[in-house]
Amino acid sequence: MRASREREHISGAERIVPEDEISSIAKELTERALYHPKGKPDSINLKIELLEKSPIYLKLLDIYEIADREDYTIKEILTKLFKKAGIDSTIGLSIYRALISGASPAGTVMRGAMIVDCQTGIRLEPDKFRGIRASYMDITPEMEKNLKKLVGERFTPNMKDAVVLSTKVLNHPDVVAELCISDDPDYTTGYISIKNFGYVRIKNIKLPGLPKGGRAFFVKGKIERKAFIEYMETTPVLINEIGNYVF
Ligand code: PML
Ligand code: MG
Ligand code: MG
């Protein structure tokens, strides 16, 4: 599902489901688009297609949460996490600022993610308006239930979709980290996922009310761009195991 207004992205979500669940999922995703905190879309795209390739099965990233940041600024927290990911913090923070001000050349929200060379800061996505869309991923209903049990009241559909997406993204050998800030104005929890570590939730990553955000995939070394994009945009991934929750 993809929803937009005046061509600006409002929301997007996807599912991998058996045939008999298609109509109920279509309803669920349509409602998610219609009653989105970013407002009414003027266009909702619902695409239903047969999965052509069988999915890669992955274990969900471990989830961490920065619990108390009263003594730290967001800049200090991000600096620490970029360091942990092996990313120069000047580069990391400039990408953070780009995301919260609208990362497309028009200053609007990109539909997809940036690809950022973590050593030079150069953006590698071919289309700077659209970016790269991580797509074709979901979690089995059983593991979704387990995830709900594991994280309790912290569970949100945004979080579930995000950790599933990020598990796919981090599984690529060239990706060292992913930074995400929701573009929903009142969803102020973002995250950084770090290779060989996990998904780190960061509260108050942006000010409430800001309808800007997006994603950046940080890569290291020379990537084979065509294969990279093909993996992100078309290889199906299904989560069939969950990780730990540490907070
Ligand atoms: C989005 O839906 O736009 C991004 C959601 C980020 C979720 C962060 C979390 O709650 O863990
Ligand atoms: Mg959103
Ligand atoms: Mg989104």
Side-chain angles (χ1 to χ4, degrees):
M1 177 278 291
R2 271 195 350 244
S4 61
R5 184 177 55 245
E6 285 165 14
R7 287 163 193 259
E8 186 151 13
H9 171 79
I10 289 184
S11 90
E14 61 183 89
R15 296 288 177 267
I16 297 175
V17 295
E19 188 180 334
D20 62 353
E21 283 174 31
I22 291 175
S23 55
S24 66
I25 295 292
K27 180 168 185 276
E28 182 191 305
L29 292 179
T30 309
E31 283 172 1
R32 182 153 162 182
L34 281 172
Y35 306 109
H36 197 275
K38 285 190 85 175
K40 283 282 174 216
D42 61 20
S43 162
I44 302 171
N45 251 295
L46 208 58
K47 182 167 87 171
I48 301 163
E49 63 183 303
L50 184 66
L51 211 57
E52 300 278 4
K53 300 183 236 176
S54 42
I56 299 174
Y57 291 93
L58 294 179
K59 179 180 175 187
L60 200 68
L61 293 173
D62 286 345
I63 302 171
Y64 295 82
E65 188 167 298
I66 310 268
D68 173 29
R69 49 164 284 210
E70 303 217 321
D71 300 336
Y72 299 96
T73 64
I74 188 67
K75 196 176 154 190
E76 286 167 331
I77 290 170
L78 290 172
T79 300
K80 280 218 171 87
L81 291 168
F82 282 129
K83 240 184 222 149
K84 190 168 178 61
I87 297 168
D88 182 291
S89 60
T90 313
I91 290 173
L93 290 171
S94 78
I95 296 299
Y96 166 75
R97 283 190 294 269
L99 290 175
I100 56 172
S101 48
S104 91
T108 51
V109 172
M110 293 166 75
R111 202 145 64 68
M114 307 174 180
I115 307 174
V116 181
D117 181 319
C118 77
Q119 284 159 320
T120 62
I122 292 172
R123 283 170 63 176
L124 303 171
E125 70 280 11
D127 181 339
K128 305 274 182 300
F129 285 90
R130 177 185 179 277
I132 300 303
R133 295 275 307 170
S135 197
Y136 292 90
M137 65 262 150
D138 204 351
I139 183 168
T140 63
E142 195 194 343
M143 287 308 130
E144 180 173 344
K145 251 185 243 150
N146 290 350
L147 177 65
K148 275 186 186 155
K149 262 189 236 149
L150 189 71
V151 304
E153 63 190 14
R154 291 168 170 89
F155 183 91
T156 68
N158 288 46
M159 174 204 200
K160 184 223 12 170
D161 287 351
V163 66
V164 167
L165 180 149
S166 200
T167 300
K168 175 176 183 181
V169 171
L170 270 283
N171 181 57
H172 191 284
D174 295 335
V175 173
V176 295
E178 182 201 354
L179 171 66
C180 169
I181 301 155
S182 179
D183 52 10
D184 299 3
D186 296 317
Y187 203 95
T188 54
T189 302
Y191 67 86
I192 295 184
S193 289
I194 300 171
K195 194 63 153 244
N196 300 324
F197 185 66
Y199 174 98
V200 185
R201 305 185 76 209
I202 307 165
K203 288 188 183 157
N204 305 312
I205 199 168
K206 70 171 187 180
L207 293 172
L210 184 72
K212 304 275 183 177
R215 292 189 152 85
F217 304 158
F218 291 91
V219 297
K220 194 167 188 174
K222 212 175 137 34
I223 62 162
E224 220 281 82
R225 205 164 64 164
K226 193 162 167 277
F228 184 90
I229 294 173
E230 201 171 286
Y231 169 77
M232 293 301 171
E233 299 200 334
T234 69
T235 300
V237 162
L238 197 54
I239 306 298
N240 67 345
E241 199 183 334
I242 56 168
N244 298 307
Y245 186 50
V246 188
F247 60 95

